[in-house]
Amino acid sequence: VPAFSVTHSLSEEVNDLRFKLTKYQQAVNNKPLLAQQLTELKETIQQSEIFQSKQAPGIVAATLQKNIRQLIESVGGDIVSTQVLPEKKEHDLTRVAVSVRLTASDTILNDFLLALESNKPLLLVDKLAIATNRRPKGIGLTQQPINISMEVATYISNKVMQ
């Protein structure tokens, strides 16, 4: 019985190793296809213009600040303040962010967030905080301004896509 147990255990181990070998062979066989897909993905990312072009972070931050100001003003919001935040390196990207405080109605906030969402290069909203004053009964949501604080970030590609 012990010899059978050892044989059975070794047989299972051989089967597991054969299965792994088959998977590794499939991965090796798929390498050309995966390389082609990677090239296509890099081209798609480059054409989509979701990242800032390779510029100095200070220039990108100033441009971001100006664009946010224009977006807020275009939808009817009032800027209280903007502040450029320190840049952060994240893998092959540099994160550039601006802290923004504004007052607006809920519909203006909605319009501003939609404008950010459709912007190219990509703009991301972090740390969104909304504060309202107590509203008397009968006043609709769009009648009183709300105080909004958020971080808006964009990314600079540090690596040329090849």
Side-chain angles (χ1 to χ4, degrees):
V1 176
F4 176 74
S5 175
V6 170
T7 304
H8 180 67
S9 175
L10 291 175
S11 175
E12 284 183 14
E13 189 174 338
V14 167
N15 287 338
D16 287 344
L17 291 173
R18 281 186 181 147
F19 178 77
K20 286 181 182 179
L21 179 61
T22 303
K23 288 295 183 187
Y24 292 143
Q25 287 172 334
Q26 288 174 352
V28 168
N29 293 340
N30 286 337
K31 185 178 178 181
L33 175 64
L34 293 175
Q36 178 186 356
Q37 289 175 343
L38 179 61
T39 302
E40 290 171 2
L41 180 61
K42 285 179 178 180
E43 288 174 6
T44 301
I45 289 172
Q46 195 170 21
Q47 291 171 358
S48 68
E49 299 175 350
I50 60 173
F51 298 121
Q52 297 283 341
S53 60
K54 184 126 174 77
Q55 295 178 347
I59 294 171
V60 172
T63 304
L64 176 62
Q65 204 170 17
K66 182 184 84 161
N67 290 346
I68 290 170
R69 181 174 298 279
Q70 289 173 343
L71 284 173
I72 291 170
E73 290 172 353
S74 73
V75 296
D78 296 315
I79 293 180
V80 175
S81 68
T82 60
Q83 178 184 4
V84 175
L85 301 173
E87 65 191 70
K88 290 182 186 175
K89 302 280 187 202
E90 297 178 4
H91 304 288
D92 290 334
L93 301 172
T94 300
R95 180 182 185 269
V96 176
V98 174
S99 176
V100 181
R101 289 184 40 214
L102 65 133
T103 57
S105 67
D106 59 340
T107 55
I108 290 173
L109 174 61
N110 184 50
D111 292 344
F112 174 63
L113 292 174
L114 286 173
L116 285 177
E117 181 181 29
S118 62
N119 194 68
K120 283 191 180 180
L122 182 68
L123 298 178
L124 303 170
V125 175
D126 289 331
K127 299 180 185 176
L128 177 64
I130 300 173
T132 63
N133 296 327
R134 291 191 179 262
R135 292 185 172 90
K137 290 184 179 181
I139 292 184
L141 292 176
T142 60
Q143 300 302 315
Q144 285 191 319
I146 53 180
N147 298 315
I148 304 146
S149 297
M150 69 177 76
E151 286 182 14
V152 179
T154 189
Y155 287 89
I156 303 169
S157 177
N158 298 331
K159 191 175 180 183
V160 178
M161 300 283 181
Q162 295 177 349

